[in-house]
Amino acid sequence: MAERKPIESWLTDMDGVLIHEGTPIPGADAFIKRLRESGKPFLVLTNNSIYTPRDLQARLSRMGLDVPVENIWTSALATAKFLDDQRPGGTAYVIGEAGLTTALHDIGYVLTDHEPDYVVLGETRTYSFEAMTKAVRLINAGARFICTNPDETGPSTEGPLPATGAVAALITKATGKQPYFAGKPNPLMMRTGLNAIGAHSETSAMIGDRMDTDVLAGLEAGMQTFLVLTGLTTERDTEKFPYRPTKTVASIKDLVDLV
């Protein structure tokens, strides 16, 4: 087996790796501090499309994690990059929050419900039957169906919430059309993120707490992968998958000395 190249850039998931239910995970501050001191390119990633990078930067800052806006990469940004590459200056009917609408505005997209090129589904806490009905009718009329991420549930202090993937399944059932998912585990999100920081997959690593999104996306993008056990996946869970992370560690604290 060829010897692995040294890790020169890092990508890390946010929820379950750096923070959990609004509080930082022990070692997250030291990891981010070491990354910034090293000068190595890095990105904090999230499949959540609700917030803009500036929103997330402020949220992390309140928890003592100093992450510059330009080092935050969301599924909304990955979706916008994909649409800009596919159909520059297009139109879209959007179900989502500011993180998604801002990303699409920034690439010059017009948001409309009049014969849009795309229906773009993202995360929101206020999915409405009216908006979903409109999405179904627009897709049936020829709009292409794009979804920021396939996560079927999201976390909350009260318990799991239906998320983008669950609503996408409803729209698919009503239209017979499958969406294209831009976020993890699509390696597109990793590749566009790596391009944004000028990094290369063979010298990059992905840290995550989920085998089915983080590890899979990193693996398919050609990166080393580190699974932390501070989120949704347990060590026993890893045996259920036909692929393995490069290494499994207890938490982000165990990776500080690798930077």
Side-chain angles (χ1 to χ4, degrees), residues 12 28 75 82 105 149 152 164 189 191 199 203 206 239 249 259:
T12 176
S75 64
F82 170 75
H105 275 304
N149 65 287
E152 294 167 351
T164 316
M189 182 169 174
R191 295 187 188 280
T203 54
M206 174 65 198
E239 299 298 331
V249 297
V259 177

Side-chain angles (χ1 to χ4, degrees), residues 3-83:
E3 188 175 340
R4 296 185 187 276
K5 294 183 178 180
I7 299 170
E8 296 176 0
S9 55
W10 291 84
L11 276 63
T12 176
D13 188 37
M14 187 171 68
D15 292 300
V17 178
L18 300 178
I19 62 175
H20 178 68
E21 293 185 356
T23 59
I25 289 171
D29 54 347
F31 183 78
I32 295 296
K33 185 172 184 288
R34 181 69 66 87
L35 274 177
R36 298 201 65 185
E37 290 173 348
S38 73
K40 292 179 179 178
F42 76 96
L43 282 178
V44 173
L45 296 95
T46 177
N47 254 359
N48 190 315
S49 65
I50 290 178
Y51 305 106
T52 67
R54 199 179 324 170
D55 296 332
L56 292 171
Q57 190 267 343
R59 179 185 174 199
L60 292 169
S61 180
R62 287 194 297 270
M63 298 181 215
L65 302 178
D66 188 13
V67 181
V69 169
E70 59 269 22
N71 294 100
I72 296 174
W73 192 248
T74 71
S75 64
L77 294 176
T79 300
K81 181 69 174 68
F82 170 75
L83 293 179

Side-chain angles (χ1 to χ4, degrees), residues 13 36 42 46 69 76 79 91 128-129 140 159-160 169-170 208 213 223 242:
D13 188 37
R36 298 201 65 185
F42 76 96
T46 177
V69 169
T79 300
T91 60
S128 77
F129 186 77
N140 283 336
L170 182 154
T213 55
M223 295 187 284

Side-chain angles (χ1 to χ4, degrees), residues 47-51 75 94-101 120-129 131-132 147-149 151-155 161-165 167:
N47 254 359
N48 190 315
S49 65
I50 290 178
Y51 305 106
S75 64
V94 177
I95 300 176
E97 300 286 347
L100 182 56
T101 57
V120 183
L121 175 66
E123 199 78 34
T124 175
R125 293 290 182 259
T126 56
Y127 288 114
S128 77
F129 186 77
M132 287 186 280
C147 194
T148 56
N149 65 287
D151 299 46
E152 294 167 351
T153 60
L161 295 170
T164 316
V167 179

